[in-house]
Short mmCIF file of all heavy atoms in Angstrom, two decimals:
data_model
loop_
_atom_site.label_atom_id
_atom_site.label_comp_id
_atom_site.label_asym_id
_atom_site.label_seq_id
_atom_site.Cartn_x
_atom_site.Cartn_y
_atom_site.Cartn_z
N GLY E 364 -67.00 -19.83 32.12
CA GLY E 364 -65.91 -20.77 32.29
C GLY E 364 -66.37 -22.19 32.57
O GLY E 364 -67.47 -22.60 32.19
N THR E 365 -65.54 -22.92 33.29
CA THR E 365 -65.80 -24.34 33.52
C THR E 365 -66.95 -24.60 34.50
O THR E 365 -67.39 -25.74 34.63
CB THR E 365 -64.53 -25.02 34.07
OG1 THR E 365 -64.07 -24.30 35.23
CG2 THR E 365 -63.43 -25.03 33.01
N GLY E 366 -67.45 -23.56 35.16
CA GLY E 366 -68.58 -23.74 36.07
C GLY E 366 -69.92 -23.34 35.48
O GLY E 366 -70.95 -23.42 36.16
N ARG E 367 -69.95 -22.96 34.22
CA ARG E 367 -71.19 -22.43 33.64
C ARG E 367 -72.28 -23.48 33.51
O ARG E 367 -73.47 -23.16 33.61
CB ARG E 367 -70.91 -21.77 32.29
CG ARG E 367 -70.48 -22.72 31.19
CD ARG E 367 -70.07 -21.94 29.92
NE ARG E 367 -69.71 -22.83 28.83
CZ ARG E 367 -68.52 -23.41 28.71
NH1 ARG E 367 -67.58 -23.19 29.63
NH2 ARG E 367 -68.25 -24.20 27.68
N ARG E 368 -71.93 -24.74 33.29
CA ARG E 368 -72.96 -25.77 33.13
C ARG E 368 -73.71 -26.00 34.45
O ARG E 368 -74.93 -26.12 34.46
CB ARG E 368 -72.34 -27.08 32.65
CG ARG E 368 -71.87 -27.04 31.21
CD ARG E 368 -71.39 -28.40 30.75
NE ARG E 368 -70.93 -28.38 29.37
CZ ARG E 368 -70.45 -29.46 28.73
NH1 ARG E 368 -70.36 -30.63 29.37
NH2 ARG E 368 -70.05 -29.34 27.47
N SER E 369 -72.97 -26.07 35.54
CA SER E 369 -73.61 -26.30 36.83
C SER E 369 -74.50 -25.14 37.24
O SER E 369 -75.49 -25.33 37.96
CB SER E 369 -72.55 -26.55 37.92
OG SER E 369 -71.85 -27.74 37.67
N PHE E 370 -74.17 -23.92 36.78
CA PHE E 370 -74.94 -22.74 37.16
C PHE E 370 -75.72 -22.17 35.97
O PHE E 370 -76.12 -20.99 35.99
CB PHE E 370 -74.02 -21.68 37.74
CG PHE E 370 -73.53 -22.01 39.13
CD1 PHE E 370 -72.42 -22.82 39.31
CD2 PHE E 370 -74.19 -21.53 40.25
CE1 PHE E 370 -71.97 -23.13 40.60
CE2 PHE E 370 -73.76 -21.83 41.52
CZ PHE E 370 -72.64 -22.64 41.70
N ALA E 371 -75.99 -23.00 34.97
CA ALA E 371 -76.72 -22.54 33.79
C ALA E 371 -78.07 -21.96 34.19
O ALA E 371 -78.82 -22.55 34.96
CB ALA E 371 -76.90 -23.70 32.82
N GLY E 372 -78.39 -20.79 33.64
CA GLY E 372 -79.68 -20.15 33.90
C GLY E 372 -79.81 -19.52 35.27
O GLY E 372 -80.92 -19.13 35.65
N TYR E 373 -78.71 -19.37 35.99
CA TYR E 373 -78.86 -18.82 37.35
C TYR E 373 -79.35 -17.37 37.33
O TYR E 373 -79.96 -16.90 38.31
CB TYR E 373 -77.54 -18.94 38.11
CG TYR E 373 -76.53 -17.84 37.85
CD1 TYR E 373 -76.50 -16.70 38.63
CD2 TYR E 373 -75.59 -17.96 36.82
CE1 TYR E 373 -75.58 -15.69 38.41
CE2 TYR E 373 -74.67 -16.96 36.58
CZ TYR E 373 -74.66 -15.83 37.37
OH TYR E 373 -73.75 -14.83 37.13
N GLN E 374 -79.13 -16.65 36.21
CA GLN E 374 -79.59 -15.26 36.14
C GLN E 374 -81.11 -15.16 36.14
O GLN E 374 -81.67 -14.10 36.45
CB GLN E 374 -79.04 -14.58 34.88
CG GLN E 374 -77.53 -14.50 34.81
CD GLN E 374 -76.93 -15.68 34.06
OE1 GLN E 374 -77.55 -16.75 33.94
NE2 GLN E 374 -75.73 -15.49 33.52
N LYS E 375 -81.80 -16.25 35.82
CA LYS E 375 -83.26 -16.24 35.81
C LYS E 375 -83.85 -16.79 37.11
O LYS E 375 -85.07 -16.77 37.28
CB LYS E 375 -83.76 -17.06 34.63
CG LYS E 375 -83.33 -16.52 33.27
CD LYS E 375 -83.84 -17.41 32.14
CE LYS E 375 -83.40 -16.86 30.79
NZ LYS E 375 -83.88 -17.74 29.67
N ASP E 376 -83.01 -17.30 37.99
CA ASP E 376 -83.50 -17.83 39.26
C ASP E 376 -83.79 -16.67 40.20
O ASP E 376 -82.95 -15.77 40.36
CB ASP E 376 -82.45 -18.76 39.88
CG ASP E 376 -82.93 -19.44 41.14
OD1 ASP E 376 -82.95 -18.77 42.19
OD2 ASP E 376 -83.28 -20.62 41.08
N PRO E 377 -84.97 -16.64 40.87
CA PRO E 377 -85.32 -15.50 41.73
C PRO E 377 -84.37 -15.30 42.91
O PRO E 377 -84.28 -14.20 43.44
CB PRO E 377 -86.73 -15.84 42.22
CG PRO E 377 -86.87 -17.31 42.04
CD PRO E 377 -86.04 -17.65 40.85
N VAL E 378 -83.68 -16.34 43.32
CA VAL E 378 -82.72 -16.23 44.42
C VAL E 378 -81.32 -15.97 43.90
O VAL E 378 -80.65 -15.01 44.29
CB VAL E 378 -82.75 -17.49 45.31
CG1 VAL E 378 -81.66 -17.42 46.38
CG2 VAL E 378 -84.11 -17.65 45.96
N LEU E 379 -80.84 -16.84 43.01
CA LEU E 379 -79.46 -16.76 42.55
C LEU E 379 -79.17 -15.50 41.74
O LEU E 379 -78.04 -15.02 41.73
CB LEU E 379 -79.13 -18.01 41.72
CG LEU E 379 -79.23 -19.35 42.44
CD1 LEU E 379 -78.91 -20.49 41.49
CD2 LEU E 379 -78.31 -19.40 43.65
N ALA E 380 -80.19 -14.97 41.07
CA ALA E 380 -79.98 -13.81 40.20
C ALA E 380 -79.51 -12.59 40.97
O ALA E 380 -78.84 -11.71 40.40
CB ALA E 380 -81.27 -13.50 39.44
N ARG E 381 -79.86 -12.48 42.24
CA ARG E 381 -79.48 -11.30 43.02
C ARG E 381 -78.12 -11.45 43.71
O ARG E 381 -77.66 -10.54 44.39
CB ARG E 381 -80.55 -11.00 44.07
CG ARG E 381 -80.61 -11.97 45.22
CD ARG E 381 -81.55 -11.47 46.32
NE ARG E 381 -81.44 -12.25 47.54
CZ ARG E 381 -82.23 -13.25 47.88
NH1 ARG E 381 -83.22 -13.60 47.06
NH2 ARG E 381 -82.06 -13.90 49.01
N LEU E 382 -77.48 -12.62 43.52
CA LEU E 382 -76.25 -12.92 44.23
C LEU E 382 -75.01 -12.70 43.36
O LEU E 382 -75.07 -12.77 42.13
CB LEU E 382 -76.25 -14.37 44.71
CG LEU E 382 -77.40 -14.83 45.59
CD1 LEU E 382 -77.24 -16.30 45.93
CD2 LEU E 382 -77.50 -13.98 46.86
N GLU E 383 -73.90 -12.45 44.02
CA GLU E 383 -72.59 -12.57 43.39
C GLU E 383 -72.10 -13.99 43.66
O GLU E 383 -72.03 -14.43 44.80
CB GLU E 383 -71.61 -11.57 44.00
CG GLU E 383 -70.20 -11.71 43.43
CD GLU E 383 -69.14 -10.98 44.26
OE1 GLU E 383 -69.51 -10.35 45.27
OE2 GLU E 383 -67.95 -11.08 43.90
N ILE E 384 -71.80 -14.71 42.58
CA ILE E 384 -71.38 -16.11 42.71
C ILE E 384 -70.06 -16.28 41.98
O ILE E 384 -69.86 -15.75 40.88
CB ILE E 384 -72.43 -17.08 42.11
CG1 ILE E 384 -73.79 -16.86 42.77
CG2 ILE E 384 -72.00 -18.53 42.29
CD1 ILE E 384 -74.91 -17.66 42.14
N GLY E 385 -69.15 -17.00 42.58
CA GLY E 385 -67.86 -17.27 41.95
C GLY E 385 -67.30 -18.59 42.41
O GLY E 385 -67.78 -19.17 43.38
N GLY E 386 -66.30 -19.08 41.69
CA GLY E 386 -65.72 -20.36 42.10
C GLY E 386 -64.59 -20.81 41.21
O GLY E 386 -64.19 -20.11 40.27
N LYS E 387 -64.09 -21.97 41.51
CA LYS E 387 -63.06 -22.64 40.71
C LYS E 387 -63.36 -24.11 40.68
O LYS E 387 -63.61 -24.73 41.72
CB LYS E 387 -61.65 -22.42 41.29
CG LYS E 387 -60.55 -23.03 40.43
CD LYS E 387 -60.39 -22.25 39.14
CE LYS E 387 -59.51 -22.98 38.12
NZ LYS E 387 -60.26 -24.06 37.42
N THR E 388 -63.35 -24.68 39.50
CA THR E 388 -63.56 -26.12 39.35
C THR E 388 -62.21 -26.83 39.29
O THR E 388 -61.17 -26.21 39.11
CB THR E 388 -64.35 -26.43 38.07
OG1 THR E 388 -63.58 -26.01 36.94
CG2 THR E 388 -65.69 -25.70 38.08
N GLY E 389 -62.26 -28.14 39.42
CA GLY E 389 -61.07 -28.96 39.29
C GLY E 389 -61.48 -30.39 39.01
O GLY E 389 -62.50 -30.85 39.52
N SER E 390 -60.71 -31.09 38.19
CA SER E 390 -61.04 -32.48 37.89
C SER E 390 -59.76 -33.26 37.63
O SER E 390 -58.81 -32.74 37.04
CB SER E 390 -61.98 -32.58 36.69
OG SER E 390 -61.38 -32.00 35.54
N MET E 391 -59.76 -34.50 38.09
CA MET E 391 -58.57 -35.34 37.94
C MET E 391 -58.94 -36.79 38.23
O MET E 391 -59.65 -37.07 39.20
CB MET E 391 -57.48 -34.88 38.90
CG MET E 391 -56.23 -35.74 38.93
SD MET E 391 -55.33 -35.72 37.36
CE MET E 391 -54.75 -34.03 37.32
N ASP E 392 -58.46 -37.72 37.39
CA ASP E 392 -58.64 -39.15 37.67
C ASP E 392 -57.70 -39.60 38.78
O ASP E 392 -56.67 -38.97 39.02
CB ASP E 392 -58.33 -39.99 36.42
CG ASP E 392 -59.35 -39.80 35.32
OD1 ASP E 392 -60.32 -39.05 35.52
OD2 ASP E 392 -59.17 -40.40 34.24
N ASN E 393 -58.03 -40.73 39.40
CA ASN E 393 -57.08 -41.36 40.31
C ASN E 393 -56.06 -42.17 39.50
O ASN E 393 -56.11 -42.21 38.26
CB ASN E 393 -57.78 -42.22 41.36
CG ASN E 393 -58.48 -43.42 40.75
OD1 ASN E 393 -58.59 -43.55 39.52
ND2 ASN E 393 -58.98 -44.31 41.59
N ASP E 394 -55.12 -42.80 40.17
CA ASP E 394 -54.04 -43.50 39.47
C ASP E 394 -54.55 -44.64 38.59
O ASP E 394 -53.96 -44.92 37.53
CB ASP E 394 -53.03 -44.06 40.48
CG ASP E 394 -52.25 -42.95 41.17
OD1 ASP E 394 -52.00 -41.91 40.51
OD2 ASP E 394 -51.92 -43.09 42.36
N THR E 395 -55.61 -45.30 39.02
CA THR E 395 -56.12 -46.45 38.27
C THR E 395 -57.26 -46.07 37.32
O THR E 395 -57.82 -46.94 36.66
CB THR E 395 -56.61 -47.54 39.24
OG1 THR E 395 -57.59 -46.97 40.12
CG2 THR E 395 -55.46 -48.09 40.07
N HIS E 396 -57.60 -44.83 37.25
CA HIS E 396 -58.62 -44.30 36.36
C HIS E 396 -60.01 -44.91 36.59
O HIS E 396 -60.84 -44.91 35.68
CB HIS E 396 -58.22 -44.51 34.88
CG HIS E 396 -56.91 -43.87 34.54
ND1 HIS E 396 -56.71 -42.51 34.51
CD2 HIS E 396 -55.72 -44.44 34.21
CE1 HIS E 396 -55.45 -42.25 34.18
NE2 HIS E 396 -54.83 -43.40 34.01
N ASP E 397 -60.27 -45.38 37.81
CA ASP E 397 -61.62 -45.88 38.08
C ASP E 397 -62.41 -44.90 38.96
O ASP E 397 -63.56 -45.16 39.30
CB ASP E 397 -61.58 -47.26 38.73
CG ASP E 397 -60.86 -47.25 40.08
OD1 ASP E 397 -60.14 -46.28 40.37
OD2 ASP E 397 -61.02 -48.22 40.84
N VAL E 398 -61.79 -43.78 39.32
CA VAL E 398 -62.50 -42.70 40.02
C VAL E 398 -62.09 -41.38 39.38
O VAL E 398 -60.90 -41.13 39.14
CB VAL E 398 -62.16 -42.67 41.53
CG1 VAL E 398 -62.81 -41.45 42.19
CG2 VAL E 398 -62.62 -43.93 42.21
N HIS E 399 -63.09 -40.54 39.12
CA HIS E 399 -62.83 -39.22 38.57
C HIS E 399 -63.23 -38.19 39.62
O HIS E 399 -64.40 -38.05 39.96
CB HIS E 399 -63.65 -39.00 37.29
CG HIS E 399 -63.40 -37.67 36.65
ND1 HIS E 399 -62.28 -37.43 35.88
CD2 HIS E 399 -64.10 -36.50 36.67
CE1 HIS E 399 -62.31 -36.17 35.44
NE2 HIS E 399 -63.41 -35.60 35.92
N PHE E 400 -62.22 -37.46 40.15
CA PHE E 400 -62.47 -36.46 41.18
C PHE E 400 -62.93 -35.16 40.54
O PHE E 400 -62.37 -34.69 39.55
CB PHE E 400 -61.21 -36.23 42.01
CG PHE E 400 -60.80 -37.42 42.82
CD1 PHE E 400 -59.74 -38.23 42.42
CD2 PHE E 400 -61.49 -37.75 43.98
CE1 PHE E 400 -59.36 -39.33 43.16
CE2 PHE E 400 -61.12 -38.86 44.72
CZ PHE E 400 -60.06 -39.65 44.32
N ASP E 401 -63.92 -34.57 41.15
CA ASP E 401 -64.60 -33.39 40.60
C ASP E 401 -64.80 -32.39 41.74
O ASP E 401 -65.46 -32.69 42.74
CB ASP E 401 -65.94 -33.86 40.01
CG ASP E 401 -66.87 -32.72 39.65
OD1 ASP E 401 -66.40 -31.63 39.36
OD2 ASP E 401 -68.10 -32.96 39.66
N TRP E 402 -64.21 -31.18 41.59
CA TRP E 402 -64.24 -30.16 42.63
C TRP E 402 -65.04 -28.93 42.22
O TRP E 402 -65.08 -28.56 41.04
CB TRP E 402 -62.83 -29.65 42.93
CG TRP E 402 -61.97 -30.49 43.83
CD1 TRP E 402 -61.00 -31.37 43.44
CD2 TRP E 402 -61.97 -30.50 45.26
NE1 TRP E 402 -60.39 -31.92 44.54
CE2 TRP E 402 -60.97 -31.41 45.67
CE3 TRP E 402 -62.71 -29.83 46.23
CZ2 TRP E 402 -60.69 -31.67 47.01
CZ3 TRP E 402 -62.43 -30.08 47.57
CH2 TRP E 402 -61.44 -30.99 47.94
N PHE E 403 -65.62 -28.27 43.24
CA PHE E 403 -66.06 -26.87 43.11
C PHE E 403 -65.74 -26.18 44.43
O PHE E 403 -66.22 -26.60 45.49
CB PHE E 403 -67.55 -26.74 42.80
CG PHE E 403 -67.97 -25.30 42.64
CD1 PHE E 403 -67.92 -24.69 41.40
CD2 PHE E 403 -68.39 -24.55 43.73
CE1 PHE E 403 -68.28 -23.35 41.24
CE2 PHE E 403 -68.75 -23.21 43.59
CZ PHE E 403 -68.70 -22.61 42.34
N VAL E 404 -64.94 -25.13 44.36
CA VAL E 404 -64.61 -24.32 45.53
C VAL E 404 -65.01 -22.89 45.20
O VAL E 404 -64.47 -22.30 44.24
CB VAL E 404 -63.11 -24.40 45.88
CG1 VAL E 404 -62.75 -23.37 46.93
CG2 VAL E 404 -62.76 -25.81 46.35
N GLY E 405 -65.97 -22.33 45.93
CA GLY E 405 -66.45 -21.00 45.57
C GLY E 405 -67.26 -20.34 46.66
O GLY E 405 -67.10 -20.63 47.85
N PHE E 406 -68.17 -19.45 46.24
CA PHE E 406 -68.88 -18.63 47.22
C PHE E 406 -70.18 -18.10 46.64
O PHE E 406 -70.41 -18.09 45.42
CB PHE E 406 -68.00 -17.45 47.65
CG PHE E 406 -67.59 -16.53 46.52
CD1 PHE E 406 -68.41 -15.49 46.12
CD2 PHE E 406 -66.40 -16.73 45.85
CE1 PHE E 406 -68.06 -14.66 45.08
CE2 PHE E 406 -66.03 -15.90 44.80
CZ PHE E 406 -66.86 -14.85 44.41
N GLY E 407 -71.03 -17.61 47.54
CA GLY E 407 -72.22 -16.85 47.20
C GLY E 407 -72.28 -15.66 48.13
O GLY E 407 -71.99 -15.77 49.32
N SER E 408 -72.66 -14.49 47.59
CA SER E 408 -72.68 -13.27 48.40
C SER E 408 -73.87 -12.42 48.00
O SER E 408 -74.13 -12.21 46.81
CB SER E 408 -71.38 -12.49 48.20
OG SER E 408 -71.38 -11.29 48.95
N ASP E 409 -74.59 -11.93 49.01
CA ASP E 409 -75.74 -11.05 48.80
C ASP E 409 -75.36 -9.66 49.31
O ASP E 409 -75.25 -9.44 50.52
CB ASP E 409 -76.96 -11.59 49.55
CG ASP E 409 -78.22 -10.78 49.26
OD1 ASP E 409 -78.12 -9.69 48.68
OD2 ASP E 409 -79.32 -11.24 49.62
N HIS E 410 -75.18 -8.72 48.40
CA HIS E 410 -74.74 -7.38 48.79
C HIS E 410 -75.83 -6.63 49.56
O HIS E 410 -75.52 -5.71 50.33
CB HIS E 410 -74.33 -6.58 47.56
CG HIS E 410 -73.11 -7.12 46.88
ND1 HIS E 410 -71.87 -7.14 47.47
CD2 HIS E 410 -72.93 -7.67 45.65
CE1 HIS E 410 -70.97 -7.66 46.65
NE2 HIS E 410 -71.60 -8.00 45.53
N HIS E 411 -77.08 -7.00 49.35
CA HIS E 411 -78.17 -6.30 50.05
C HIS E 411 -78.22 -6.69 51.52
O HIS E 411 -78.37 -5.84 52.40
CB HIS E 411 -79.50 -6.61 49.37
CG HIS E 411 -79.59 -6.12 47.96
ND1 HIS E 411 -79.71 -4.78 47.65
CD2 HIS E 411 -79.55 -6.78 46.77
CE1 HIS E 411 -79.75 -4.64 46.33
NE2 HIS E 411 -79.66 -5.83 45.77
N SER E 412 -78.12 -7.97 51.82
CA SER E 412 -78.19 -8.43 53.21
C SER E 412 -76.82 -8.47 53.88
O SER E 412 -76.73 -8.52 55.11
CB SER E 412 -78.82 -9.83 53.28
OG SER E 412 -77.97 -10.79 52.65
N GLY E 413 -75.77 -8.49 53.08
CA GLY E 413 -74.42 -8.60 53.63
C GLY E 413 -74.02 -10.02 53.96
O GLY E 413 -72.90 -10.26 54.43
#
Side-chain angles (χ1 to χ4, degrees):
T365 54
R367 67 186 182 279
R368 289 186 180 179
S369 295
F370 286 85
Y373 83 91
Q374 299 93 338
K375 298 179 180 179
D376 185 283
V378 174
L379 299 178
R381 72 171 191 264
L382 304 178
E383 177 195 359
I384 304 173
K387 183 70 192 79
T388 63
S390 59
M391 175 65 68
D392 291 358
N393 66 351
D394 291 327
T395 56
H396 302 292
D397 62 344
V398 175
H399 182 79
F400 294 103
D401 169 28
W402 280 99
F403 181 89
V404 170
F406 60 86
S408 179
D409 185 348
H410 294 295
H411 296 288
S412 66

